[in-house]
Amino acid sequence: MVSRVEELTLKMISRMQSGDDNDDFDRDVSDNVIEAPAKPKLKKPPMYKVLLLNDDYTPMEFVVHILENFFLMSREKATQVMLAVHTTGSGVAGIYPQDIAETKSDQVNEYARENQHPLMSKIEMTD
Ligand code: TYC
């Protein structure tokens, strides 16, 4: 039994030897090619906000310290975000894939507790 690949190989050799043009051969070969899907089906991971919640007792300087050290903000940016949380009740410290957002939020809550401040953070899925 001659396989399809062998059949095409023999056809290619005879075409090459005879100097024929290769249009039919190209069509035969293209029938045997599995094309990649037009769009690779990779989904971007859902992103989560890490929110800081306001309270009446955590010192402003401690919140700024958190934003600088856990969320890598400049002093100026950290102060802006801290004041936004202070005046509105909550604010976004950062946006990350779920596992990173959970870890950051847990680290902030643990660090605040260790330092006897009531500061809390939580995560929320982005829209
Ligand atoms: N409201 C606090 C104060 O007046 C400051 C504060 C800001 C606390 C942001 C928590 O997430 C917070 N000292």
Side-chain angles (χ1 to χ4, degrees), residues 51-61 63-64 67 81-87 89-91 118-120:
L51 297 175
L52 286 189
L53 308 180
N54 190 35
D55 65 73
D56 291 339
Y57 305 105
T58 303
M60 290 184 173
E61 194 47 51
V63 180
V64 170
L67 290 166
V81 172
M82 179 279 295
L83 286 174
V85 177
H86 175 70
T87 51
S90 67
L119 175 67
M120 288 291 292

Side-chain angles (χ1 to χ4, degrees), residues 106-118:
D106 290 348
Q107 286 172 340
V108 166
N109 294 345
E110 188 179 328
Y111 187 72
R113 251 163 72 94
E114 283 168 4
N115 287 278
Q116 279 104 53
H117 296 306

